[in-house]
Amino acid sequence: MTARSLVTFCVAVAAAGLIVGLVPGVPDALVAVVGVVVVLLVPGLALLLALRTPVREPGPLIVFVLGGSLALLVVVGVVLAALPWGLTATTAPVTLEVLAIVLAGSALLGGSPAETIVSWPPIRARRSWPVAALFALALAVAGAAVVIAHVAADRTDAVNEVSQFSAVPVNGGAGLRIMIENHQPDATSFRVEVSVASSQDTRQVILARRLRVPDGHRTAVRIALPDHVSASSARSSLFVAGHVKPIRVVGAAP
Amino acid sequence: MTTVLSSPARPASTTTSSSVRVALAAFVAALALLVIAVANSFARNQNTAVTTTAFYVAVVLVLVAFMPGLLSRTTPARQRTALVVLFSAAMYLIKVLYEPSRFALHDELAQTRGVRNLLSSHHLFGANPIVRAYPYFPGLNSATTVMMHTTHLSQFWSGVVVIGTARLIGGLALYEVLRRLVGHDRLAAAGVLLYATNPNFLYFDAAYSYESLAIPLALGALLCAVLASKSAVGLWRCVAVAAVLTAGLVLTHHVTAYWLAAVLVGWMLVAAVQAMRHSSDARASLKRVWPFALIVVVGVLAWQLGVARSHTASEIDPALAGARALIDKLTGRSSGPQKQLFASGTGQIANPLWAQAVALAAVALSLIILVLGLWAVVRRVSWRHPLVIVLSVLSILLPVTLALRVTQEGTETSNRASEFVYFGLALAGAAVLASKRRQDRAAHERKDRADRGKTVLTAFGVAVVVMFIGGFVIGWAPYERQPGPYLGAAELRSVDPPSMQAARWAAGHIPARTFIAADLSNGLLMAAYATLNPQNGSVNGRAVSTLFYSTTYSDVDRQIVSADKIRYIVVDTRMSEVPPQSKGYFAFGVPPGVDPAEKLLKRSLSKFDRTSSLQRVYDNGIIRIYSVTTP
């Protein structure tokens, strides 16, 4: 592959990255694929082209292309974050891709790029379809391993998720925002009680609300408190309707 | 010394059969990864002998799949390079399969907080309550954020791509450096295998952490210097590439940058001494290496003095505590708790006997290889390359780092040092094989030589497997090696759905950077995923954890809450149900007279419900969050 074709590749991919990254409506999968190539290959390759680094062996070439890309990623990120406009969703891709285009373009300056000494190593081995098939199979199996691990981890998380209840003061303490997320198949109806201390050890329920929350769902409601009650003095409790035992008690000890 | 710059032409049949060998190795490793994924999936619900055995067998299979190709005499250079890349990728995937949907290690959570700071502020130096020095080494955070913005991937997958790529570079750069130092690609591949036996290789070096990115960048810069010193490529072009890699390195991790600076300066010094003995090679080496040493030293000094300043020292100081603890132990002045070897921090879970035996064998083998390797380097005149001498000298630290493990404080230091010290071991292993090769060549006929060669390689392969598993046992507590059900204060095993649910709720309901009190695990999750600031340390000489240990909400507790501006208290009710695994639920100190290895009392945790100045605002049956209404 000649240096000129590598320059064309860098400029084309960086430009494609700019377009798919900034134009709305492009599928995320496409942005991810183009973006990964833009981030990992193009900056490092453009750097080597610009410097006319005479590396022909595959090992050092891979190290410098990928390593150069990662290092430029670091430098671009830090420099942008240090500047007044900051590291944002617009400045990061634009700067990286423009830098790659400039670096690759600079390889055209000061002499014909065809005479530069950057080149991919020539591939002498004969194409072997069984080998390619075996590689493809290995890739598929490794991919399957990652998918299985991912799905299993997410599923274990989903199974072990627990019901959540929260009661947060809102409107400067004039009300409570109650949230219930249910992960118990046997309990779909909940009763929320708000109580205030009526004496040293007893509490008086001042309002109650029944909420229906199916398994796997979340419900949030706002409850306005009576004028004489503030959220800081109110306590909310949660009972499963029909069950004798409260499953979650919020506030003072039962 | 011979410079290996291009591979000799080989017959097409050899190349094709080697390509099949590479593809087969990849396929076998992929199958082993599939077994690990399935074993881990079952282990998430329950660790059994079957899941554990399947995991270890599959990990060994990943390693063994690449050995024949990497160590074979007949593998062409290009195929060996491909094998090194695939080996690095497969090893990284083992870590990904452990936690494939989120970051959960301590350092990963600290970096996650850094990325969240950057995403919200768009600027540098946002305070990181988990590791205070991280904002001053923003390389990984910046790279991840640029990756996120350019690819629209999540932070987790962006981090996986960045670190995965770094791992490929690291393995390949080490191979290329060794290849040029020892003059033989097979010996270099053996060195890569030996490096993989370091206790941190499998998980820690693959974690979403700054040294995981920095070490490959450092090796890339070192490769530039090695290439330039061999006159293989234009000096100043190589210096320019190295400058970019060094800039990335200096912005990413202090210790790795110091290591590279030390190696390059050491290289210059050794070359200078050799040059005084009229070695023309050394003189040429000195002329070509000084620009690399200069840019690394200047880069390190500029960033350290201009930006990082005392923040680095505050982070490195705990690492020196290990050395102090070892000296105290040797001089009989140690007063701290005795470390139980081969057991978790609190001694709750011990390694089985077989694991202890393999770990001891790994230590013995690494020391034997080190001694034989150093002897081989000393005896072999053609191996007097200054970098070989520098790495050999650094490898002498291996026994010291192993000794550090006899103390609790030194274990962490030893773990962190291993990724640097093992570069020397990799070289020593290559030297041992090289000397063996020379002896064989001198002493035997062709057929005997081939047989002996196979025996030596088989023995080497077995040693690598033992050292790899032994290193893994030494570096990671039994409960950390595979996923499994919840355990208290057990880092990865303590990150479970209830804790994550609470952190997600807090992210949506509690203002960012609010001060909270929490145990270590939940504090890390709250800091990383909810951008809250957990308070640690002490107030007026009393540990913040006093809040959780006292049985009544006393004036002391109120003082701590008031002085530390704590607005929320996160209570994990499991602290009173299961004993902690590592250093206890509160790693930053417990009240006097409290055993951190013990569970907390139930009434210590239920007292918050009896306190009028606290209001329970969140409850999922396991995690409760209390709002401080009046301090």
Side-chain angles (χ1 to χ4, degrees):
Chain A
M1 203 179 276
T2 63
R4 188 181 288 279
S5 56
L6 288 174
V7 170
T8 311
F9 168 79
C10 286
V11 172
V13 173
L18 265 177
I19 293 164
V20 300
L22 297 179
V23 172
V26 178
D28 274 352
L30 182 61
V31 179
V33 171
V34 177
V36 166
V37 176
V38 167
V39 167
L40 294 183
L41 281 184
V42 174
L45 187 55
L47 178 74
L48 290 194
L49 286 166
L51 294 171
R52 292 174 165 78
T53 311
V55 179
R56 287 175 187 276
E57 282 190 87
L61 196 60
I62 295 169
V63 170
F64 295 149
V65 168
L66 296 179
S69 292
L70 285 185
L72 283 174
L73 212 59
V74 169
V75 174
V76 165
V78 171
V79 168
L80 282 176
L83 292 171
W85 46 87
L87 174 56
T88 68
T90 308
T91 58
V94 169
T95 310
L96 190 70
E97 284 149 6
V98 169
L99 176 70
I101 291 170
V102 169
L103 281 174
S106 70
L108 299 171
L109 303 173
S112 166
E115 291 164 12
T116 58
I117 31 189
V118 177
S119 68
W120 289 107
I123 298 164
R124 292 199 198 92
R126 284 186 306 182
R127 283 184 186 167
S128 164
W129 287 111
V131 171
L134 205 51
F135 269 122
L137 200 58
L139 196 63
V141 173
V146 174
V147 171
I148 287 172
H150 191 75
V151 170
D154 283 357
R155 210 170 150 196
T156 310
D157 278 2
V159 168
N160 291 319
E161 283 199 328
V162 287
S163 296
Q164 304 184 86
F165 173 60
S166 73
V168 183
V170 289
N171 298 339
L176 284 170
R177 184 176 187 273
I178 307 286
M179 184 278 290
I180 298 172
E181 185 180 299
N182 185 22
H183 288 282
Q184 297 171 111
D186 60 334
T188 55
S189 183
F190 296 83
R191 191 161 72 96
V192 175
E193 289 180 353
V194 179
S195 61
V196 291
S198 56
S199 65
Q200 185 72 20
D201 297 318
T202 59
R203 305 193 69 82
Q204 182 193 355
V205 176
I206 53 168
L207 62 88
R209 178 80 65 89
R210 188 173 293 275
L211 295 172
R212 188 171 170 71
V213 190
D215 180 25
H217 286 70
R218 172 189 287 203
T219 295
V221 293
R222 280 176 186 242
I223 295 176
L225 295 173
D227 289 343
H228 63 283
V229 177
S230 73
S232 60
S233 62
R235 301 282 163 157
S236 36
S237 304
L238 181 69
F239 296 85
V240 178
H243 287 223
V244 176
K245 201 168 69 170
I247 56 161
R248 307 272 181 269
V249 180
V250 173
Chain B
M1 198 195 310
T2 322
T3 307
V4 182
L5 288 173
S6 58
S7 326
R10 285 172 193 271
S13 59
T14 313
T15 310
T16 309
S17 66
S18 297
S19 298
V20 172
R21 183 184 282 173
V22 175
L24 261 177
F27 181 65
V28 172
L31 283 178
L33 289 171
L34 192 65
V35 173
I36 292 172
V38 173
N40 282 355
S41 302
F42 282 105
R44 284 180 198 283
N45 295 321
Q46 194 181 5
N47 292 108
T48 63
V50 175
T51 58
T52 309
T53 309
F55 172 78
Y56 279 110
V57 168
V59 168
V60 169
L61 197 57
V62 174
L63 183 65
V64 169
F66 294 101
M67 272 189 191
L70 285 173
L71 299 177
S72 167
R73 288 173 204 277
T74 57
T75 307
R78 194 161 297 161
Q79 272 73 4
R80 216 183 296 269
T81 303
L83 282 166
V84 171
V85 171
L86 290 169
F87 172 71
S88 305
M91 284 290 160
Y92 178 60
L93 281 179
I94 295 176
K95 160 70 174 68
V96 175
L97 295 178
Y98 189 125
E99 197 54 273
S101 52
R102 62 175 165 243
F103 293 127
L105 281 168
H106 176 278
D107 288 14
E108 293 181 330
L109 292 172
Q111 294 291 352
T112 299
R113 171 59 182 265
V115 171
R116 287 189 179 235
N117 283 346
L118 208 45
L119 286 172
S120 62
S121 73
H122 311 300
H123 291 288
L124 298 172
F125 310 130
N128 191 324
I130 305 176
V131 181
R132 295 188 196 286
Y134 273 11
Y136 302 94
F137 297 94
L140 180 57
N141 296 338
S142 306
T144 310
T145 310
V146 175
M147 174 72 87
M148 287 172 75
H149 289 321
T150 312
T151 62
H152 296 191
L153 289 171
S154 66
Q155 189 229 335
F156 174 75
W157 286 110
S158 296
V160 166
V161 172
V162 169
I163 299 299
T165 309
R167 287 279 284 192
L168 298 190
I169 301 167
L172 199 48
L174 176 63
Y175 168 72
E176 294 293 340
V177 168
L178 287 175
R179 198 174 152 212
R180 280 158 180 80
L181 290 181
V182 302
H184 201 289
D185 54 356
R186 190 166 61 95
L187 301 182
V192 171
L193 285 173
L194 272 178
Y195 182 74
T197 64
N198 98 60
N200 271 348
F201 183 80
L202 201 53
Y203 286 164
F204 189 82
D205 290 352
Y208 179 64
S209 180
Y210 52 5
E211 56 259 64
S212 306
L213 173 60
I215 291 173
L217 292 179
L219 286 171
L222 191 61
L223 178 61
C224 284
V226 172
L227 282 174
S229 75
K230 300 278 187 185
S231 307
V233 288
L235 172 65
W236 294 105
R237 286 169 180 160
C238 249
V239 170
V241 175
V244 173
L245 294 169
T246 302
L249 165 67
V250 168
L251 295 170
T252 302
H253 189 221
H254 40 58
V255 175
T256 311
Y258 300 158
W259 174 83
L260 183 61
V263 166
L264 290 171
V265 170
W267 179 346
M268 277 179 60
L269 293 175
V270 173
V273 171
Q274 288 177 338
M276 282 192 281
R277 294 179 180 177
H278 310 292
S279 162
S280 57
D281 279 356
R283 217 169 288 138
S285 177
L286 187 59
K287 274 185 187 166
R288 298 183 75 85
V289 82
W290 72 262
F292 296 93
L294 185 69
I295 55 169
V296 177
V297 170
V298 168
V300 167
L301 286 177
W303 189 255
Q304 292 299 326
L305 299 177
V307 179
R309 289 186 292 267
S310 60
H311 301 284
T312 312
S314 66
E315 213 204 358
I316 290 175
D317 189 56
L320 299 176
R324 287 196 292 268
L326 179 63
I327 292 167
D328 286 349
K329 193 169 181 74
L330 292 175
T331 53
R333 283 184 294 169
S334 175
S335 58
Q338 292 289 313
K339 183 189 169 184
Q340 292 180 40
L341 288 176
F342 299 115
S344 62
T346 52
Q348 302 284 345
I349 297 179
N351 274 295
L353 273 178
W354 73 263
Q356 296 184 26
V358 172
L360 288 173
V363 171
L365 281 169
S366 57
L367 291 175
I368 290 168
I369 288 175
L370 181 69
V371 171
L372 292 178
L374 290 176
W375 180 240
V377 169
V378 168
R379 285 182 56 198
R380 199 160 175 179
V381 179
S382 63
W383 276 45
R384 297 285 163 78
H385 188 288
L387 185 56
V388 170
I389 293 170
V390 171
L391 290 178
S392 301
V393 169
L394 287 178
S395 72
I396 296 169
L397 290 172
L398 177 66
V400 180
T401 61
L402 287 172
L404 285 174
R405 288 185 180 274
V406 299
T407 67
Q408 194 73 54
E409 298 86 344
T411 305
E412 183 69 10
T413 312
S414 173
N415 253 349
R416 300 274 174 139
S418 65
E419 53 239 39
F420 301 106
V421 175
Y422 270 65
F423 288 124
L425 188 74
L427 186 70
V432 173
L433 285 183
S435 64
K436 201 75 209 148
R437 196 165 146 255
R438 224 170 56 138
Q439 284 170 15
D440 287 352
R441 196 178 289 164
H444 296 277
E445 292 299 317
R446 191 181 179 85
K447 188 173 179 304
D448 287 353
R449 207 163 69 209
D451 290 345
R452 273 178 65 96
K454 276 182 189 166
T455 312
V456 168
L457 285 185
T458 307
F460 179 79
V462 171
V464 167
V465 169
V466 170
M467 289 167 70
F468 184 83
I469 295 297
F472 188 43
V473 168
I474 290 168
W476 294 85
Y479 57 81
E480 291 175 319
R481 293 173 203 149
Q482 213 180 354
Y486 173 85
L487 289 171
E491 204 161 358
L492 282 162
R493 295 279 295 272
S494 301
V495 178
D496 69 340
S499 294
M500 286 300 296
Q501 283 178 287
R504 280 197 293 267
W505 178 86
H509 291 84
I510 301 177
R513 285 168 270 283
T514 301
F515 290 111
I516 62 164
D519 62 280
L520 181 64
S521 296
N522 285 295
L524 286 171
L525 290 179
M526 292 286 170
Y529 292 109
T531 331
L532 302 181
N533 291 353
Q535 292 284 32
N536 300 304
S538 59
V539 172
N540 297 332
R542 290 178 191 275
V544 173
S545 63
T546 305
L547 265 178
F548 295 89
Y549 282 99
S550 59
T551 50
T552 57
Y553 195 70
S554 64
D555 286 344
V556 172
D557 296 329
R558 284 193 179 81
Q559 267 177 20
I560 291 171
V561 166
S562 172
D564 263 353
K565 300 187 175 97
I566 291 167
R567 291 291 167 264
Y568 291 87
I569 299 171
V570 180
V571 179
D572 189 334
T573 54
R574 292 170 295 195
M575 289 193 291
S576 64
E577 292 159 8
V578 290
Q581 291 301 326
S582 59
K583 297 168 192 165
Y585 285 109
F586 300 93
F588 296 96
V590 293
V594 167
D595 181 357
E598 291 292 322
K599 297 184 283 187
L600 278 76
L601 296 173
K602 264 195 165 57
R603 63 175 188 278
S604 297
L605 301 183
S606 63
K607 69 173 179 283
F608 299 111
D609 284 326
R610 301 190 296 270
T611 306
S612 60
S613 58
L614 302 175
Q615 185 166 16
R616 198 195 305 180
V617 291
Y618 174 87
D619 186 355
N620 67 25
I622 292 166
I623 311 289
R624 294 168 181 171
I625 300 177
Y626 296 86
S627 162
V628 179
T629 53
T630 49

